[in-house]
Amino acid sequence: MDENDLAEEPIAQLEAWLAEAREVVPQPDLMALATADADGRPSARMVLLRGADFRGVTFFTNRDSRKGRELRENPRAAAVVHWWELGRQVRVEGPVEELLEAESRAYWATRPRGSQIAAWASRQSEPLSGRDELDARVAEAEARFACGDVPLPPFWGGYRIVAESIEFWQHRDSRLHDRVRYERTAGGWVRKRLAP
């Protein structure tokens, strides 16, 4: 990977790599998201990368989930998208902001009805007495919204990692991988090659 062949803007490069990944990777939008609570205790999980623009990358979730609570306490995150089949990964780091309700509503409308029902039924990250409790909540939500569209829950929405840095990594033999990191400055993005 020659850094001079990469796009000037890292999101343009991310979009180019995503387009290539969509051709060969079964789940190209799968992203590891790391957050931390107010005391700095980290946690990570897989989410779906649902958008990328000049500001950063977006994902959606229950705002009352563990990640939602952690983002309220400590609104910073790191994410990694890894494409094994291509020997590539992209890392994004920065502060996190909530998306506007209109943005969350627009994405919500694209979700399958079953996923919408599940969002209403699941008190994400909260303990359950058993699977029966979750199944009962799903049945209640299905009955509640049987006659129409499933509305956006007030506790559900999107977030954006406002990218301060974006790193592109490409596999090379003998662990001599290529790494190029873009860092946002007052004057724009600065690229640096990093040692593997």
Side-chain angles (χ1 to χ4, degrees):
M1 177 172 63
D2 184 339
E3 60 266 34
N4 296 314
D5 293 335
L6 299 176
E8 289 296 318
E9 294 287 326
I11 294 297
Q13 188 61 48
L14 172 58
E15 289 173 337
W17 277 19
L18 265 170
E20 290 178 39
R22 288 185 179 116
E23 298 294 320
V24 296
V25 178
Q27 289 195 295
D29 300 326
L30 202 55
M31 178 172 78
L33 174 71
T35 56
D37 65 16
D39 294 324
R41 287 185 299 259
S43 64
R45 77 289 289 152
M46 302 306 288
V47 298
L48 295 175
L49 168 62
R50 285 303 186 212
D53 64 22
F54 69 95
R55 296 165 291 184
V57 299
T58 57
F59 62 94
F60 294 83
T61 192
N62 182 318
R63 296 192 196 280
D64 294 330
S65 66
R66 179 177 177 180
K67 61 186 157 306
R69 291 190 307 267
E70 288 175 349
L71 289 170
R72 276 194 300 278
E73 294 175 13
N74 183 3
R76 296 190 64 81
V80 179
V81 184
H82 181 251
W83 304 294
W84 178 264
E85 296 85 349
L86 297 174
R88 290 177 174 170
Q89 72 178 12
V90 178
R91 298 174 55 207
V92 181
E93 299 173 5
V96 176
E97 62 187 19
E98 289 187 10
L99 297 184
L100 298 174
E101 184 177 333
E103 293 174 282
S104 294
R105 191 174 304 285
Y107 174 68
W108 177 261
T110 70
R111 297 187 87 209
R113 184 177 179 86
S115 295
Q116 293 174 337
I117 293 290
W120 276 98
S122 175
R123 294 182 184 129
Q124 194 174 24
S125 303
E126 295 300 317
L128 288 166
S129 60
R131 182 70 194 199
D132 290 349
E133 181 183 351
L134 179 61
D135 292 341
R137 288 184 186 165
V138 169
E140 288 171 12
E142 287 174 338
R144 179 177 177 190
F145 302 115
C147 296
D149 292 338
V150 180
L152 175 71
F155 52 81
W156 197 93
Y159 293 90
R160 176 180 294 107
I161 302 175
V162 180
E164 291 178 335
S165 68
I166 302 179
E167 180 184 317
F168 294 84
W169 175 97
Q170 188 161 293
H171 173 82
R172 298 280 301 264
D173 289 339
S174 303
R175 297 189 46 81
L176 295 173
H177 312 307
D178 287 318
R179 293 174 64 195
V180 175
R181 181 181 176 99
Y182 292 73
E183 293 180 356
R184 191 188 298 266
T185 68
W189 291 98
V190 174
R191 274 189 309 216
K192 298 176 183 177
R193 177 173 282 276
L194 304 178

